[in-house]
Amino acid sequence: MIEGFWFPAGSAKKIVAALSVSEGRFKVIVKHDEYMEGQFDELIVSSRVGNIPRKIQLPDQSVFETTDNEAVDRLLQLSSAIVKRRGWAHILETRWSWIGVSLLAVLLFVFAGFRWGLPWASVSVAESIPEPIVQQLSQGSLSLLDDIMFKPSEISESEQKKIAQRIQNRLAHLDGSNFPIHFRKMGLPNAIALPSGDIVLTDRLVNIASDEELLSVVLHEISHVKQKHGLQQLVRSSVLSFAIALVVGDSSGVEELLVGLPVFLMQSQYSRSHESEADEYALEQMMAMDVDPIHFARIMEKMEGATQQAGAQGNEDHNESDTSVTRQKKLTDYISTHPVSAERIRKAETLSDTFNRRRVLSN
Amino acid sequence: MRLDTNIDQLPETRWEKLEFHGKGLEYFKIWIVNIFLSVITVGIYSAWAKVRSKRYFYGNTVLHGAVFEYHAKPLGILKGRVIAVIFLAIAIGLGILHPLAGPISSIVIAIVTPWVIWRSIIFNARMTSYRNVRFGFMGKGLTLYYILLVIPLLFASAGATLGWVIGFLGRSIDLFGLRGINQINAAIIGGILGVYLSFPYIHKNLTSYFLNHRLFGQGRFRARLHGSFYYWSYLKWFILLSVITAVCWSIVFLANTLVGNNLSFLRAGGTRDAALAALPPMVLVLALIPFLLGFSWLKAYITTLFRNYGYGRLQLQSAATFKSQMDHNRLFSIQFTNFLLLVITLGIAWPWTRIRLVRYRIETLSARIYGDVEGYLSQMQNKQSALGEELGEAFDINLDLGI
């Protein structure tokens, strides 16, 4: 005998009732009176979820409800196989071995997704984005950058043309016209490549760099374009945000950071490897073009010097001690998107040694 | 209305709190198996997962000794999802093939969205029952188009006209000293202001639509909402937003001066670009924290305001009234600690955080049943649910009304 309540079809009444089953037949007793009996197989028993009350629908659409889940499960054990099968999800959800397996499998899946799935997907999607869309995306990001970060260049247009022409002449073998060069003003010496191949140089970079140095920076940026690093990052952050939003579900304000943080951390890790890749390409090309790789080291030093100078200026104004600058620099390195500059400079210098030795030999 | 007058004179009235009996560990088990099976079935099981998960939450929500029940069939939801995926694939495919498809699909989305929301409201209402009586929704789809598309257009054109007139008067008779004003610009600014001013009104109308056409069996829910409350709340929100933003910037500024890092540029006369570019990313993340706290608190505050108001005005025809006694600080602290839990456990704690939040949402609700709820008859049920309803569910667009 299972105790519970009976709900008549189509009304909100709730009446104390009991259900008994024997030899394949059921009997429902409502308020001490027998209400209905019939074949047990005619009952539709809701599948078990946790410990929520079980609903047993009678043939006349009325419902018997009970919280005695164990008793209902025992009844189902005795009945036909078809009815028994209904509870398999609940069985998985209550056996620790299955929960352990599920947890492990999900963790493994998430790990594999991050480790192999995501890089693979971002590379292959980035490869397959059609040219018009790449163009559109790039134009969009350039105008966004124009709005928030750049100001129009202060270098005269004729000068701009001359500089661009000088660089592109040396890139002729790479088809330099595929990499239009733009000039913008920004507080720091910097260069940015858009997926379309457009390369932006800032005024301060142009001012501190020699032609060779500018060439090395442009080569570095061209590598980003050729390897489609920008597109890969875009795809990766979209997929990541989407996946995290899926798992975390309806976010409530604070949880939104949860989407941002891992995306940010993943991106900075990836961009480090992208930077070394681009460095390698630039240095290789310089060697091939008979340009001393030392120029890359020089411009790196200059750019870092300019950035630090900017930082020092800000601190001097407030009479801050040098220690805060160094402490802060360490922190920056920790999470920096570029591999520690000294390392990059050293690489260029080593290659420069090889380059010069080879030149001496060939002479 | 009859029931407005005599609620308090009814002899048998009692406030009854809703209870929530869900448990973190129990839900964790369901959740992890759901994810596992969804992954190994390439997402197909997700329809079953959704139903099990919803049944768990509904079945643990207790009012007056009886639980709620969720009735949707996984196969129907799966069907809706398949159609939704095909629809999206076509839209994305077209977007890749033709550049014009972008603007066109935005227009299509604008036209389809109210319909999808409407079907989704109907679906979710019909799939819910309490004491073997189903809920329902009898709002018209057209009303939603009116609220979401026509109202903003009306406000925008009214604003634009007003802007134009002011511009015109300013130019011709030098009213308000606006001689130099450009009429077109004035009209554009007026239009944009009009759209902003329409938000509280749209919010009020949506909430009203959402609550007033709801059925329990044959009984109808009613909620008389006042536009003034929504305008007042949005004004409060705006003021608090300004204050919080100002306070957050001051905190960042102060911390920055104390630590002595690059942001001091902003005051040292260096350019903004230089300051931003030199700012190490870690400092940016740290600077985000006060904003994050401030804005989440504000979201909890405003959600609570709308929720308490909406439920406070809700009645079930001659049977029940409701109230919500949510406290925004408590809500915020739950959401914030949930967030910390999620970060520390890398997301594994999600089921516990979910249960905590839902428990708070439900247990701050109470109902006063004064009429004959038992006498409520189920309305005639349409046995098969139309495909459109499941499609609405598949896109899973939730109206965030704070209800």
Short mmCIF file of all heavy atoms in Angstrom, two decimals, chain B residues 154-166 183-184 186-194:
data_model
loop_
_atom_site.label_atom_id
_atom_site.label_comp_id
_atom_site.label_asym_id
_atom_site.label_seq_id
_atom_site.Cartn_x
_atom_site.Cartn_y
_atom_site.Cartn_z
N LEU B 154 7.04 54.81 -32.29
CA LEU B 154 6.19 55.97 -31.95
C LEU B 154 6.97 56.98 -31.11
O LEU B 154 6.96 58.18 -31.39
CB LEU B 154 4.96 55.51 -31.17
CG LEU B 154 3.84 54.85 -31.99
CD1 LEU B 154 2.71 54.39 -31.07
CD2 LEU B 154 3.33 55.82 -33.05
N PHE B 155 7.67 56.46 -30.08
CA PHE B 155 8.45 57.36 -29.22
C PHE B 155 9.53 58.06 -30.03
O PHE B 155 9.77 59.25 -29.86
CB PHE B 155 9.09 56.57 -28.07
CG PHE B 155 8.22 56.45 -26.86
CD1 PHE B 155 7.17 55.55 -26.84
CD2 PHE B 155 8.45 57.24 -25.74
CE1 PHE B 155 6.36 55.44 -25.71
CE2 PHE B 155 7.65 57.13 -24.62
CZ PHE B 155 6.60 56.22 -24.61
N ALA B 156 10.18 57.28 -30.92
CA ALA B 156 11.26 57.87 -31.72
C ALA B 156 10.73 58.97 -32.61
O ALA B 156 11.30 60.05 -32.70
CB ALA B 156 11.96 56.79 -32.53
N SER B 157 9.59 58.70 -33.27
CA SER B 157 9.10 59.73 -34.19
C SER B 157 8.57 60.94 -33.44
O SER B 157 8.75 62.07 -33.88
CB SER B 157 8.05 59.16 -35.15
OG SER B 157 7.20 58.29 -34.49
N ALA B 158 7.95 60.69 -32.27
CA ALA B 158 7.50 61.83 -31.46
C ALA B 158 8.71 62.68 -31.06
O ALA B 158 8.69 63.91 -31.18
CB ALA B 158 6.75 61.35 -30.23
N GLY B 159 9.76 61.99 -30.59
CA GLY B 159 10.98 62.70 -30.17
C GLY B 159 11.60 63.47 -31.33
O GLY B 159 12.01 64.62 -31.18
N ALA B 160 11.63 62.81 -32.49
CA ALA B 160 12.25 63.44 -33.66
C ALA B 160 11.45 64.67 -34.08
O ALA B 160 12.01 65.72 -34.39
CB ALA B 160 12.34 62.44 -34.80
N THR B 161 10.12 64.54 -34.07
CA THR B 161 9.28 65.67 -34.46
C THR B 161 9.51 66.84 -33.51
O THR B 161 9.69 67.98 -33.94
CB THR B 161 7.79 65.27 -34.43
OG1 THR B 161 7.66 64.00 -35.07
CG2 THR B 161 6.93 66.29 -35.13
N LEU B 162 9.51 66.52 -32.22
CA LEU B 162 9.71 67.56 -31.22
C LEU B 162 11.07 68.23 -31.43
O LEU B 162 11.17 69.46 -31.40
CB LEU B 162 9.63 66.93 -29.83
CG LEU B 162 9.34 67.90 -28.69
CD1 LEU B 162 7.95 68.48 -28.84
CD2 LEU B 162 9.49 67.19 -27.35
N GLY B 163 12.08 67.39 -31.67
CA GLY B 163 13.42 67.92 -31.90
C GLY B 163 13.44 68.84 -33.12
O GLY B 163 14.03 69.92 -33.08
N TRP B 164 12.75 68.41 -34.14
CA TRP B 164 12.72 69.18 -35.37
C TRP B 164 12.05 70.53 -35.15
O TRP B 164 12.52 71.57 -35.58
CB TRP B 164 11.99 68.38 -36.46
CG TRP B 164 12.20 68.95 -37.82
CD1 TRP B 164 13.22 68.67 -38.67
CD2 TRP B 164 11.34 69.89 -38.49
NE1 TRP B 164 13.08 69.36 -39.82
CE2 TRP B 164 11.93 70.13 -39.75
CE3 TRP B 164 10.16 70.55 -38.16
CZ2 TRP B 164 11.37 70.99 -40.67
CZ3 TRP B 164 9.60 71.41 -39.07
CH2 TRP B 164 10.21 71.63 -40.32
N VAL B 165 10.92 70.46 -34.43
CA VAL B 165 10.17 71.70 -34.17
C VAL B 165 11.01 72.66 -33.35
O VAL B 165 11.11 73.86 -33.67
CB VAL B 165 8.83 71.38 -33.46
CG1 VAL B 165 8.19 72.66 -32.94
CG2 VAL B 165 7.90 70.64 -34.39
N ILE B 166 11.66 72.12 -32.30
CA ILE B 166 12.51 73.00 -31.48
C ILE B 166 13.62 73.58 -32.32
O ILE B 166 13.92 74.79 -32.25
CB ILE B 166 13.08 72.21 -30.27
CG1 ILE B 166 11.96 71.91 -29.28
CG2 ILE B 166 14.19 73.00 -29.58
CD1 ILE B 166 12.37 71.05 -28.12
N GLN B 183 18.57 71.65 -37.65
CA GLN B 183 17.28 70.96 -37.48
C GLN B 183 17.40 69.45 -37.54
O GLN B 183 16.80 68.73 -36.77
CB GLN B 183 16.31 71.41 -38.58
CG GLN B 183 15.44 72.55 -38.13
CD GLN B 183 14.91 73.27 -39.34
OE1 GLN B 183 15.45 74.26 -39.75
NE2 GLN B 183 13.86 72.71 -39.89
N ILE B 184 18.21 68.98 -38.51
CA ILE B 184 18.35 67.54 -38.69
C ILE B 184 18.96 66.90 -37.44
O ILE B 184 18.47 65.90 -36.92
CB ILE B 184 19.26 67.23 -39.91
CG1 ILE B 184 18.82 68.00 -41.13
CG2 ILE B 184 19.32 65.73 -40.15
CD1 ILE B 184 17.71 67.39 -41.92
N ALA B 186 18.93 68.11 -34.42
CA ALA B 186 17.96 68.20 -33.34
C ALA B 186 16.95 67.06 -33.44
O ALA B 186 16.58 66.44 -32.44
CB ALA B 186 17.25 69.54 -33.38
N ALA B 187 16.54 66.75 -34.68
CA ALA B 187 15.56 65.68 -34.87
C ALA B 187 16.17 64.33 -34.50
O ALA B 187 15.53 63.50 -33.86
CB ALA B 187 15.07 65.67 -36.32
N ILE B 188 17.43 64.13 -34.89
CA ILE B 188 18.09 62.85 -34.57
C ILE B 188 18.23 62.69 -33.06
O ILE B 188 17.89 61.64 -32.49
CB ILE B 188 19.48 62.77 -35.25
CG1 ILE B 188 19.29 62.65 -36.77
CG2 ILE B 188 20.27 61.58 -34.73
CD1 ILE B 188 20.57 62.76 -37.56
N ILE B 189 18.69 63.76 -32.40
CA ILE B 189 18.85 63.68 -30.94
C ILE B 189 17.50 63.43 -30.28
O ILE B 189 17.38 62.59 -29.39
CB ILE B 189 19.49 64.99 -30.40
CG1 ILE B 189 20.94 65.07 -30.88
CG2 ILE B 189 19.43 65.05 -28.88
CD1 ILE B 189 21.59 66.42 -30.65
N GLY B 190 16.47 64.12 -30.77
CA GLY B 190 15.13 63.92 -30.22
C GLY B 190 14.67 62.49 -30.40
O GLY B 190 14.09 61.90 -29.49
N GLY B 191 14.96 61.91 -31.58
CA GLY B 191 14.56 60.53 -31.84
C GLY B 191 15.23 59.55 -30.91
O GLY B 191 14.59 58.66 -30.34
N ILE B 192 16.53 59.76 -30.70
CA ILE B 192 17.28 58.85 -29.82
C ILE B 192 16.77 58.97 -28.39
O ILE B 192 16.53 57.97 -27.71
CB ILE B 192 18.80 59.16 -29.88
CG1 ILE B 192 19.32 58.78 -31.28
CG2 ILE B 192 19.55 58.39 -28.81
CD1 ILE B 192 20.73 59.25 -31.55
N LEU B 193 16.55 60.21 -27.94
CA LEU B 193 16.01 60.41 -26.59
C LEU B 193 14.64 59.74 -26.47
O LEU B 193 14.31 59.14 -25.44
CB LEU B 193 15.88 61.91 -26.29
CG LEU B 193 17.15 62.59 -25.81
CD1 LEU B 193 16.89 64.07 -25.59
CD2 LEU B 193 17.64 61.93 -24.53
N GLY B 194 13.86 59.83 -27.55
CA GLY B 194 12.54 59.21 -27.55
C GLY B 194 12.64 57.71 -27.34
O GLY B 194 11.90 57.13 -26.54
#
